[in-house]
């Protein structure tokens, strides 16, 4: 088994220190950071997403694997920045205004990062102004919104409307999700995409681009 395959499989079982160690070893042996990313870390997260989809993995497995992904990324990031690595797209993520639930949003952020997106995570209780201002500053392609409360989900509409009447209209796509959110609701408020979970969020974002 190659070192890159070992990184991939170690990520799948969520052994973060080992992933970091193997990534360092690979770089030390002249391995390319981009190959470690695409063939090791991202491939590993693809396997994790698949296992989650078919019920073999549960949320803790995904969170543990995502942590391993983060540690691997921390090792290779300086090398990636030196090279001409470009993230697939830039997304601004957050839980909507008034809502403090962030477990699902964090999972979506991790899956997106695992799939090669750059995600600026604004945390929870994020206003429409903050979403738009950050999207503008970071030249983002996507705004990702999460809501867990029926009382806060309507605020997603404020972001969609504010975006539509701003100079970012047509440039930035919106994707929404969270336990009370449905495709029907996304259509009603005019969001560009909806995903029921983390792995379909990645697919949805890729389709929107
Ligand atoms: Co709250 N809470 N909570 N809570 N909480 C719910 C949501 C609730 C359904 C519980 C219940 O009554 N059965 C209920 C909402 C009822 C409603 O609106 N109809 C509720 C309530 C009422 C409240 C408070 C108002 C309680 C109170 O204070 N009286 C309060 C509100 C605080 C606030 O936000 N202002 C509150 C507080 C809390 C805690 C702080 C204690 C804690 C949050 C901790 C945290 O997030 N850091 C909490 C929790 C943990 C829950 C439950 C138990 C679990 C939520 C969760 O993390 N699920 C929840 C009950 C439940 O859902 N069973 C509940 C796991 C997570 C992985 O799933 O977030 O759905 P989820 O994310 C999924 C998908 O939805 C999707 O992908 C994720 C992965 O599959 N997804 C996206 C999420 N975001 C996405 C974005 C996307 C795409 C997909 O694209 C951008």
């Amino acid at each position: 088994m190659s070192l890159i395959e070992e990184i991939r499989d170690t990520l799948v079982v969520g052994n973060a220190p080992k992933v970091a160690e193997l990534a360092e070893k690979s770089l030390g042996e002249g391995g390319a950071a981009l190959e470690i990313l695409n063939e090791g870390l991202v491939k590993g997260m693809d396997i994790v997403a698949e296992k989650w989809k078919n019920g073999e993995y549960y949320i803790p497995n995904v969170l543990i694997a995502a942590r391993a992904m983060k540690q691997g990324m921390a090792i290779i990031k300086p090398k990636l920045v030196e090279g001409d690595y470009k993230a697939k797209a830039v997304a601004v993520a957050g839980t909507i205004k008034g809502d403090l639930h962030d477990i699902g949003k964090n999972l979506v952020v991790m899956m997106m990062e695992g799939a090669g997106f750059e995600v600026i995570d604004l945390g929870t209780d994020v206003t429409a102004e903050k979403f738009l201002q950050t999207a503008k500053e970071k030249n983002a392609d996507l705004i990702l919104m999460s809501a867990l409360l029926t009382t806060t989900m309507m605020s997603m509409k404020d972001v969609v409307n504010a975006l539509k009447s701003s100079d970012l209209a047509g440039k930035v796509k919106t994707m929404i999700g969270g336990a009370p959110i449905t495709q029907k609701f996304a259509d009603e408020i005019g969001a560009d995409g909806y995903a029921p979970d983390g792995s379909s969020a990645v697919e949805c974002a890729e389709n929107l681009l």
Side-chain angles (χ1 to χ4, degrees):
M1 190 189 283
S2 74
L3 203 45
I4 300 281
E5 286 167 338
E6 224 182 305
I7 292 173
R8 180 198 62 201
D9 293 355
T10 309
L11 183 139
V12 174
V13 296
N15 186 340
K18 188 79 185 163
V19 167
E21 184 194 315
L22 290 169
E24 286 222 50
K25 190 172 172 203
S26 178
L27 287 178
E29 290 177 6
L34 201 56
E35 196 191 350
I36 299 174
L37 175 70
N38 289 332
E39 301 304 316
L41 304 176
V42 173
K43 278 260 163 75
M45 279 309 280
D46 285 345
I47 297 171
V48 170
E50 204 48 49
K51 283 183 185 288
W52 184 25
K53 245 185 189 169
N54 66 30
E56 199 182 324
Y57 267 16
Y58 296 100
I59 286 168
N61 304 101
V62 181
L63 292 174
I64 289 165
R67 193 179 56 193
M69 168 94 195
K70 272 206 162 160
Q71 293 215 10
M73 276 299 284
I75 302 294
I76 62 167
K77 211 164 189 174
K79 293 279 171 203
L80 286 174
V81 177
E82 271 173 29
D84 54 4
Y85 165 72
K86 216 175 161 297
K88 200 178 269 178
V90 178
V92 175
T95 305
I96 200 73
K97 190 177 97 182
D99 202 323
L100 302 175
H101 296 84
D102 67 355
I103 299 169
K105 184 266 297 164
N106 292 346
L107 205 53
V108 169
V109 168
M110 286 173 183
M111 297 301 287
M112 297 280 297
E113 286 178 336
F117 287 81
E118 180 188 340
V119 186
I120 297 118
D121 186 352
L122 297 176
T124 58
D125 192 18
V126 183
T127 60
E129 297 74 48
K130 185 75 185 162
F131 271 118
L132 261 64
Q133 183 201 336
T134 313
K136 200 168 197 169
E137 277 167 20
K138 302 288 178 183
N139 207 6
D141 307 285
L142 289 162
I143 290 180
L144 315 176
M145 290 173 268
S146 181
L148 263 284
L149 297 171
T150 46
T151 48
T152 59
M153 58 194 267
M154 278 320 290
S155 297
M156 291 172 151
K157 191 175 177 182
D158 299 339
V159 181
V160 172
N161 288 345
L163 180 67
K164 283 188 177 153
S165 52
S166 77
D167 52 359
L168 297 176
K171 288 185 212 152
V172 181
K173 297 268 164 70
T174 49
M175 179 167 81
I176 64 172
I181 309 300
T182 58
Q183 181 63 57
K184 187 168 170 280
F185 177 72
D187 294 341
E188 274 166 21
I189 66 164
D192 298 302
Y194 155 74
D197 57 51
S199 49
S200 29
V202 171
E203 274 171 40
C204 178
E206 282 169 349
N207 290 337
L208 287 177
L209 298 166

